[in-house]
Amino acid sequence: MSKPRVATAWLGGCSGCHMSFLDMDERLIDLADKIELVYSPIADVKEFPTNVDVALVEGAVTNSENEELAHQIRRNARFVISFGDCATTGNVTALRNKFSVEAIEHRSYIELSDKNPMVPNEYETIAKLMKKAVPLHEVITVDFFLHGCPPSADEIWFAVTELLAGRTPVLSTAYLRFG
Ligand code: SF4
């Protein structure tokens, strides 16, 4: 019997949620027996695959590449999990929302560029920032939410193993916290 196909994706986040995923430590060995990891920043896969069973998506949607990947994930994954507070609420990534895109680009690509100043047509090749960084569910339908910055390894393990067992993960109040 083929194993469930699991993906993890990284949008506008710091990768801390993926670090927490790796914090499952020896449970990763159990997980590796039960699943096929078909897409992840920790695997060298360029295109989001088809027929994914569970996708964990870290980070807010903050630029055109994030938005495109979010739609690809939704088209190809049976269950989408909003993975951590940035995906769930915008969190740290959305702190930039009080500034205009122009001010952020100027600060990032001109004032703080090590190629000071970066010429405008160089940074025009970088993915376009959306006007606001938004949580994942404002762009695509999300099936489950994992809170926390980052969610704990125990919470990730619980949610993924419940889904793989064909059950709906009911997160206890211990897991329903932000930050
Ligand atoms: S929720 Fe926290 S750990 Fe996860 S991507 Fe956002 S800032 Fe990083």
Side-chain angles (χ1 to χ4, degrees):
M1 203 173 89
S2 60
K3 294 178 180 178
R5 291 162 59 79
V6 174
T8 76
W10 180 10
L11 306 182
C14 74
S15 89
C17 293
H18 275 83
M19 295 301 110
S20 200
F21 185 90
L22 295 177
D23 273 347
M24 288 194 284
D25 297 330
E26 68 277 6
R27 287 174 290 189
L28 289 171
I29 297 168
D30 282 349
L31 200 57
D33 273 344
K34 293 189 175 101
I35 66 163
E36 186 185 354
L37 187 66
V38 291
Y39 182 90
S40 176
I42 56 175
D44 188 21
V45 182
K46 307 292 183 222
E47 294 288 323
F48 195 83
T50 57
N51 297 321
V52 172
D53 294 296
V54 178
L56 290 129
V57 184
E58 171 191 314
V61 180
T62 193
N63 66 31
S64 51
E65 277 180 8
N66 297 160
E67 194 176 17
E68 193 182 327
L69 180 54
H71 286 293
Q72 271 179 6
I73 292 169
R74 185 65 279 178
R75 280 195 299 275
N76 292 294
R78 186 161 166 236
F79 295 115
V80 175
I81 301 179
S82 198
F83 181 25
D85 285 350
C86 290
T88 302
T89 68
N91 194 35
V92 176
T93 312
L95 291 176
R96 64 100 162 162
N97 288 352
K98 70 185 292 242
F99 303 101
S100 71
V101 167
E102 294 71 29
I104 294 164
E105 287 181 343
H106 192 271
R107 179 80 175 143
S108 306
Y109 303 141
I110 296 179
E111 288 175 45
L112 299 180
S113 169
D114 56 6
K115 290 182 179 179
N116 203 0
M118 192 187 264
V119 294
N121 66 2
E122 282 181 298
Y123 70 76
E124 277 167 12
T125 62
I126 297 170
K128 282 275 161 234
L129 281 181
M130 291 162 48
K131 205 166 171 196
K132 304 273 181 208
V134 296
L136 185 62
H137 63 271
E138 289 193 18
V139 176
I140 59 169
T141 301
V142 166
D143 302 296
F144 300 101
F145 295 85
L146 287 187
H147 300 285
C149 180
S152 68
D154 288 346
E155 181 179 0
I156 300 166
W157 170 257
F158 175 76
V160 171
T161 52
E162 284 291 285
L163 274 175
L164 293 178
R167 295 187 290 266
T168 300
V170 179
L171 296 171
S172 75
T173 50
Y175 293 138
L176 295 177
R177 57 152 185 88
F178 293 96

